[in-house]
Each structure stands twice: as structure tokens, then as C-alpha cells.
């Protein structure tokens, strides 16, 4: 039973490019959460999705960031026109029912140069 | 307002000794859950232990135990018999039923185990 799969593990983008981060939840998990971790900081909640629905996006920056979790395929976190401040580790987590803890993926380390 | 407070940015413990990592939380939701996660230098997030607000007993998982004091709103993690591999960042976290059960993390405590 594969865990939460995130890819790529490392992503380098130039300022102004787009970054697409993918997350495949554990089998049977329909709740997906995205978090951002800036260097030397804790995890900050970004967005909570269920299949085809955004449940809570209170932590998403208002511009340039979007997330989706389609009926088929992985969840995608998309960052348009990246800036240096977007450099961080982005973690995805999944849960079967939104309770009792998540299973985290290994994260995607985004570096904007 | 900070929902999760971890007042110890860094801690040191001698190998084989026990250590307590502090966590206090703030919520008015009667139904909530508390978690501890470990993040080693490799970067992955590892779930350690969970305590529900209605659980009568303190949670334990192997060498980890959660000292849950509901009235004081504290959920300290106790690691017994520390090992070198315990050196990592430790995050306390909480989910609230009224917040769609999303989990909010504290700033973390860096634990270093000394041989």
C-alpha cells in the first residue's frame, strides 16, 4: 500500500515561471491537504480538498496560487509567476475521513532562482 | 492569535534519558484532536501520537506518551529512553471540528540527543 506520493521531490524554477506540484493520496483517501514550510519554520496550512471540491482555502495566497483535486488523477498545487519568496517545501497529506491524523508525503522542495 | 504554542525552540537531552517537549493550545471547540509529528533532517513528516479531546486516558505509543492536561490546555510529549535517532524537529498540532478538521501546526521544537 503505497503512501502519499509527491512529485517532483525537487523543483527549480526561474522567477516568472509556473510551478506544478503533484500529490497522489494514499489508496482509499479522499481528503487532501497542502502545507507550506518556509526555511526554519513550521508548516502553514494552505488548502483542504476533497474530490472535485475545495473545502477550505483559507491559507492560500489570494493571487498566483491555485489547487485542484479532480475526480481522476492527483491533486495539483499550481503556482503561477513564481517569485523568490515562494521557495519552500510544500507538503501534501491525505486522510480517509479528515480525522485522526494525516499521512504526509515526502514533500516537494521548490527553489526559485 | 497563536493556536499552538511551543515555547522551547531548542532542547538537549542525554542519550537514554527522558525528555518532555511542551505544547499548549488554544481552542473553544469542545471536540478537537492533538497530534505530535517528528521531522528529521531528511525532511519527511512522521506521525507519532494522537490524543482526542474526549479520550479519558493519555495516549501512548511505544516510547512516546502524551501528557494531556485538558484544563490547562497542554499536550506535552514525553519521550522515554532517548536515542540518537530522536534528534529532530518536533511539531505539536491540533485539529478542530469546527474548522473542517484541518490540522494547525505549532512552530516546533528542535531536539538534540547527546551521546
Amino acid at each position: 500500500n503505497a503512501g502519499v506520493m509527491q512529485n517532483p521531490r525537487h523543483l527549480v524554477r526561474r522567477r516568472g515561471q509556473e510551478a506544478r506540484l503533484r500529490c497522489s493520496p494514499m489508496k482509499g483517501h479522499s481528503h487532501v491537504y497542502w502545507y507550506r514550510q518556509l526555511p526554519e519554520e513550521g508548516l502553514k496550512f494552505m488548502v483542504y480538498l476533497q474530490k472535485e471540491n475545495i473545502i477550505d482555502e483559507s491559507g492560500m495566497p489570494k493571487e498566483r496560487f491555485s489547487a485542484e483535486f479532480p475526480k481522476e488523477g492527483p491533486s495539483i498545487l499550481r503556482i503561477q509567476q513564481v517569485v523568490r519568496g515562494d521557495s519552500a517545501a510544500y507538503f501534501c497529506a491525505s486522510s480517509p475521513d479528515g480525522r485522526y491524523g494525516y499521512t504526509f508525503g515526502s514533500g516537494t522542495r521548490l527553489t526559485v532562482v | 492569535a497563536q493556536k499552538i504554542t511551543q515555547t522551547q525552540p531548542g532542547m538537549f537531552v542525554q542519550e537514554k534519558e527522558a525528555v518532555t517537549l511542551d505544547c499548549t493550545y488554544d481552542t473553544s471547540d469542545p471536540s478537537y484532536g492533538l497530534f505530535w509529528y517528528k521531522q528529521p533532517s531528511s525532511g519527511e513528516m512522521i506521525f507519532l501520537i494522537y490524543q482526542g479531546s474526549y479520550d479519558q486516558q493519555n495516549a501512548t505509543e511505544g516510547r512516546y506518551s502524551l501528557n494531556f492536561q485538558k484544563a490547562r490546555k497542554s499536550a506535552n510529549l514525553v519521550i522515554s529512553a532517548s536515542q540518537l535517532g530522536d534528534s529532530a524537529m518536533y511539531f505539536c498540532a491540533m485539529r478542530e471540528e469546527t474548522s473542517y478538521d484541518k490540522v494547525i501546526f505549532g512552530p516546533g521544537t528542535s531536539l538534540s540527543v547527546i551521546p
Side-chain angles (χ1 to χ4, degrees), chain B residues 2-111:
Chain B
Q2 278 275 37
K3 288 275 190 179
I4 302 285
T5 302
Q6 295 180 253
T7 57
Q8 308 150 315
M11 291 277 288
F12 291 89
V13 64
Q14 203 77 38
E15 194 179 4
K16 299 179 186 174
E17 297 291 312
V19 62
T20 298
L21 306 183
D22 294 341
C23 173
T24 57
Y25 59 92
D26 181 27
T27 182
S28 55
D29 195 329
S31 178
Y32 56 90
L34 298 156
F35 308 83
W36 278 91
Y37 282 85
K38 172 184 178 181
Q39 187 177 40
S41 58
S42 53
E44 71 266 34
M45 293 291 290
I46 302 168
F47 166 74
L48 295 178
I49 197 165
Y50 169 82
Q51 178 87 40
S53 59
Y54 293 119
D55 293 344
Q56 295 297 314
Q57 295 189 329
N58 288 345
T60 60
E61 289 286 348
R63 294 186 299 111
Y64 304 108
S65 60
L66 198 153
N67 184 2
F68 181 45
Q69 298 187 45
K70 195 170 182 176
R72 297 180 61 185
K73 294 189 176 177
S74 81
N76 298 340
L77 177 70
V78 180
I79 306 174
S80 62
S82 298
Q83 301 172 356
L84 295 177
D86 294 335
S87 294
M89 284 291 292
Y90 288 82
F91 293 99
C92 179
M94 176 177 69
R95 67 154 181 84
E96 297 168 290
E97 190 170 302
T98 54
S99 297
Y100 302 107
D101 290 312
K102 68 175 182 275
V103 177
I104 304 298
F105 286 80
T109 294
S110 175
L111 177 67

Side-chain angles (χ1 to χ4, degrees), chain A residues 2 22-23 26 29 36 45 61 72 82 84-85 96 99 103 107:
Chain A
R22 286 176 291 276
C23 169
M26 283 186 72
H29 287 195
R36 177 164 64 176
F45 168 79
E72 302 290 338
V82 296
R84 288 246 170 90
R99 290 170 176 262
T103 300

